[in-house]
Amino acid sequence: MSTTAPQLLNYVGGEFLATEQTFPNISPIDGRLLSQVCEADEALVGRAVSAAKTAQSGPWARTSASERADVLMRIAAGIERRFEEFVAAEVADTGRPVEQARRLDIARGVHNFRTFAELIRQSGGDYFEMRAPDGSDVFSYSVRKPHGVVAIISPWNLPMLLLTWKVAPALACGNSVVVKPSEESPSTATLLAEVIHDAGLPEGVFNLIHGFGPGSAGEFLTKHPDVDAITFTGESRTGSEIMKVAAEGVRDVSFELGGKNAAVVFADCDFEAAVAGVARSSFTNAGQVCLCSERVYVERPIFERFVAALKEKAEGLKIGYPDEPGVDMGSMISRQHREKVLSYFELAREEGATVVTGGEVPTFGDARDQGAYVRPTIWTGLADDARCVQEEVFGPVCHIAPFDREDEVIERVNNTVYGLATALWTQDLGRAHRVSRQFHVGMVWVNTWFLRDLRTPFGGARLSGLGREGGRHSLDFYSELTTICVNP
Ligand code: NAD
């Protein structure tokens, strides 16, 4: 393997730092070596936390909300200036279509910074008046202060989008941060460090460390006693591990975790819109979005027609190189993750599924055969308690089952350990409101999917998460509120 690949550096205390220990960043498009990533050891993670802590008593601590909003706007502009570099980096790490990276991933990175700049400018505190027992008019108000050092740990599936979703509000609230992106997608985070460096933040306010989870940078970071709060997006199992570590010191945590989301299609839906919507919610980003629908319930009168139409859509999706015109679906994140997805393809057969379409690896006869592709896959015929209907696969796959009654489908949708999102397709708005509130999830979409107003709360129930971020919920998580009660 070539050793001349570029190095991705850590960013600690305002300096870009190499380490002796590196790991390869491999393209899932064609198996090529993209870069060598400098892995932070425990000492370097300690330096990052210490730099972040020191920054809390420097000029950053004296900035006003409005000054921090200006910083966020400068970061947004900095990303925009290097937009195509970010797109190329995201695409190379993940194999997604270039158009998706432009439209969704990097655009949302910019939007996250602008949104939280606006929100922090406008945010006020609580103010209450009351009459005290001695007859005096007492007033109470709250002030927003940073936690101090926030650890941000993010996954590989939407690297830039999910990282900036946390970095922006954490900085808006005056924290300093130590960020650990996924080992599978380290490139846009490194570019972000460059943009932030150029935006003129005081040193130590933003730090980036590279590495893995257990026994590596992720664990070193979460267990560091000077980390005041931890925000994490990733697998439920990892969230549970981090929660144990966070218990030491009773640190605040915010978790956005896994899901096994349902789409529910009633017979009164706009059929074409529902088919297109479910195709999108099952196969976008090769099914590697936490919000993807892996369980689809279709009302019996339209079941056969719906399965046939979704099959046609899945088979019409163009899999290919990220920059191919008209490409719909890229690769999975890695060969290793593809192995996991393929193991579920096998399990589905063992569990008695009918494979309506897909279930295998495409062959291209070119460099992509060294990549990590799978075909979009649809199953029917599994019981609700089958492992393939209960466990998160995180690939371009869904199981479709018929249902007969509203109360029945609500119960079946809720029959899971997860609780992230549901997509509902019906033209009966009364039904939409009635049914939506009965799903035990953090987010319901009606006649749409993955449409986000960033001011709304976002998060999951049950194993899908802890707490809510988004809008003022983010500002609340990334702040300590002090209440001041005054007897004038
Ligand atoms: P993962 O849990 O394997 O890794 C996520 C991050 O945690 C990585 O940076 C990893 O290095 C780090 N990590 C792993 N073990 C750690 C430990 N013990 N201590 C500290 N850090 C550790 O998740 P993944 O495979 O990267 O991401 C896919 C998962 O993320 C899926 O389950 C998906 O549903 C979920 N997800 C959820 C949301 C949401 O908003 N709810 C969004 C995106 C992804």
Side-chain angles (χ1 to χ4, degrees), residues 153-156 180 183 218 232-235 238 256-258 290 392:
I153 301 187
S154 55
W156 48 258
K180 205 226 48 88
E183 56 275 25
F232 167 76
T233 305
E235 286 190 13
T238 314
E256 296 176 344
L257 308 176
C290 54
E392 182 184 48

